[in-house]
Amino acid sequence: MNQKRLQKIFPGPGTVNTIALYGNYAPETAEQVKKRVLELHARFSFFEAESDIFRINEQAGIKPVTVHPDTLFVLFHALAYGAETRGAFDITTGAANRLWRDAIRCAKMPSDSALAEGCGRNGLSDLVLDETESTAFLRRKGMQIDLGGIAKGYAADQALQILKKNKVRHALLNFGETVIALGREQKIGIQHPYQKNGQSIAEVSVKNKAVVTSGTYERGFFSQGRRYHHILNPRTGCPADSGLLSVTLVGQSAMELDALATGLCVLGRNAGLPLLEKRGIEAVFIDNEGEIRITPGLQGKFLLRRN
Ligand code: ADP
Ligand code: MG
């Protein structure tokens, strides 16, 4: 057993994953976490030809694909969050995501024909899951699943399971705005929407909780005075316009928070609040005017940073 602090970093999709362990821990624990998380990234990747998601997308409109239980689990839950957010969280927006990803990369609006082709292809009812056969099927050709809004959360929950199994008592997992604090109370920074990565606007103190942020400020570009970003309104296939810059959720399951934080960026604060109350989730909302609002459960646990 080791008494020191151990920190391991490794690349995740579009981010850096950090595992910090404190106190007594078995040194191989961090390596086990890393292995599991990389395995999940490979399984859920939109781009890698061997991944479950790639194969489902490739066979859209053709035939069901056998997938790993991890994938089936996440897909089932993603459908449930989709229903709960009345379609605001929709993993079948892959085609539109791809279109806007390219648009953001070039900082240029997609053409009308590309928009017509990429948008409107989604539909949660066209994703068919079969638990007994362990298969997933997209009914329409050209439809695509993208787990970018939920995969990190599931990976963080799985990482926590490994820490618990290895009897780690005090740790911090940070998978890029998807954070789990285990053990002692820890202060988690909330990214400043207008400052460089790593600069916090505020912090929340949590203990044995997950903290997940989704932000429309993250990846995007301006065109004719409007900002276009990477969280899409599935109804239009275009970047969400709910008046929120970011949503930070505090609760138990990182997967649940990840999906709902993305969904709430689309739904907006008023429509989202009842959903959070029902599930006992606390939140920090930053709106387009830079106004910050917190839910009552965060009173005394939230601190604004002076920048
Ligand atoms: P990140 O923290 O990586 O920015 P988020 O959890 O905020 O991820 O989710 C954004 C990602 O989710 C997008 O990059 C895209 O892959 C996918 N996505 C975009 N819009 C939606 C949506 N309405 N529902 C589900 N997934 C979405
Ligand atoms: Mg998310």
Side-chain angles (χ1 to χ4, degrees), residues 70-91:
D70 280 327
T71 312
L72 208 61
F73 182 89
V74 174
L75 291 176
F76 262 111
H77 282 83
L79 285 185
Y81 299 129
E84 193 155 352
T85 57
R86 282 170 282 121
F89 181 74
D90 183 343
I91 54 164

Side-chain angles (χ1 to χ4, degrees), residues 52-73:
D52 278 358
I53 297 307
F54 189 95
R55 291 185 304 111
I56 296 169
N57 293 343
E58 200 179 33
Q59 297 298 325
I62 303 171
K63 63 174 198 293
V65 167
T66 305
V67 295
H68 190 276
D70 280 327
T71 312
L72 208 61
F73 182 89

Side-chain angles (χ1 to χ4, degrees), residues 88-90 97 146 148-149 152 214 218-219 230 232 234 258 262:
F89 181 74
D90 183 343
N97 287 334
D146 180 339
K152 268 197 287 184
S214 267
E218 253 177 82
R219 272 171 273 157
H230 76 306
L232 306 184
D258 194 358
T262 305

Side-chain angles (χ1 to χ4, degrees), residues 96 100 115 119 226 228-229 231-241:
W100 285 102
L115 275 171
C119 305
R226 226 204 110 175
Y228 297 86
H229 56 84
I231 297 179
L232 306 184
N233 181 344
R235 279 186 218 285
T236 62
C238 292
D241 192 10

Side-chain angles (χ1 to χ4, degrees), residues 36-305:
R36 176 76 173 126
V37 170
L38 292 178
E39 171 185 73
L40 291 173
H41 289 331
R43 200 158 275 154
F44 299 154
S45 168
F46 183 82
F47 302 99
E48 282 177 39
E50 302 296 308
S51 87
D52 278 358
I53 297 307
F54 189 95
R55 291 185 304 111
I56 296 169
N57 293 343
E58 200 179 33
Q59 297 298 325
I62 303 171
K63 63 174 198 293
V65 167
T66 305
V67 295
H68 190 276
D70 280 327
T71 312
L72 208 61
F73 182 89
V74 174
L75 291 176
F76 262 111
H77 282 83
L79 285 185
Y81 299 129
E84 193 155 352
T85 57
R86 282 170 282 121
F89 181 74
D90 183 343
I91 54 164
T92 68
T93 51
N97 287 334
R98 173 177 240 163
L99 178 73
W100 285 102
R101 206 163 17 237
D102 291 345
I104 290 167
R105 195 180 307 127
C106 319
K108 194 165 162 259
M109 283 293 283
S111 68
D112 288 347
S113 61
L115 275 171
E117 204 184 305
C119 305
R121 287 201 174 185
N122 55 303
L124 289 168
S125 57
D126 283 320
L127 171 58
V128 185
L129 304 177
D130 185 330
E131 210 169 359
T132 16
E133 297 291 323
S134 201
T135 60
F137 178 48
L138 285 169
R139 270 202 274 245
R140 280 186 285 147
K141 219 178 166 71
M143 278 185 85
Q144 293 187 323
I145 290 173
D146 180 339
L147 294 185
I150 189 170
K152 268 197 287 184
Y154 179 70
D157 288 338
Q158 289 294 298
L160 178 66
Q161 290 316 312
I162 295 175
L163 297 186
K164 286 185 169 168
K165 216 186 296 161
N166 286 302
K167 306 212 171 4
V168 173
R169 307 260 301 276
H170 182 198
L172 186 71
L173 297 170
N174 187 344
F175 295 172
E177 312 226 76
T178 297
V179 174
I180 293 183
L182 172 69
R184 284 178 227 161
E185 182 150 291
Q186 298 180 61
K187 290 182 172 60
I188 312 298
I190 296 173
Q191 173 64 39
H192 194 302
Y194 293 126
Q195 286 183 16
K196 65 174 189 291
N197 208 355
Q199 197 110 356
S200 307
I201 192 165
E203 61 190 31
V204 282
S205 297
V206 296
K207 189 178 163 180
N208 295 325
K209 289 245 156 60
V211 181
V212 177
T213 299
S214 267
T216 61
Y217 58 83
E218 253 177 82
R219 272 171 273 157
F221 66 96
F222 276 97
S223 174
Q224 301 189 321
R226 226 204 110 175
R227 191 156 181 288
Y228 297 86
H229 56 84
H230 76 306
I231 297 179
L232 306 184
N233 181 344
R235 279 186 218 285
T236 62
C238 292
D241 192 10
S242 69
L244 291 174
L245 274 178
S246 79
V247 178
T248 299
L249 300 181
V250 181
Q252 291 305 326
S253 152
M255 176 177 72
E256 174 189 45
L257 303 185
D258 194 358
L260 294 180
T262 305
L264 259 63
C265 283
V266 178
L267 277 180
R269 179 172 163 269
N270 288 339
L273 277 172
L275 260 166
L276 302 182
E277 245 166 65
K278 203 167 80 186
R279 290 173 170 265
I281 296 171
E282 302 298 336
V284 179
F285 297 96
I286 307 181
D287 71 19
N288 283 349
E289 271 71 55
E291 204 155 324
I292 305 177
R293 290 190 177 84
I294 63 171
T295 50
L298 288 182
Q299 295 286 352
K301 300 195 173 303
F302 175 85
L303 191 70
L304 214 51
R305 286 212 177 134

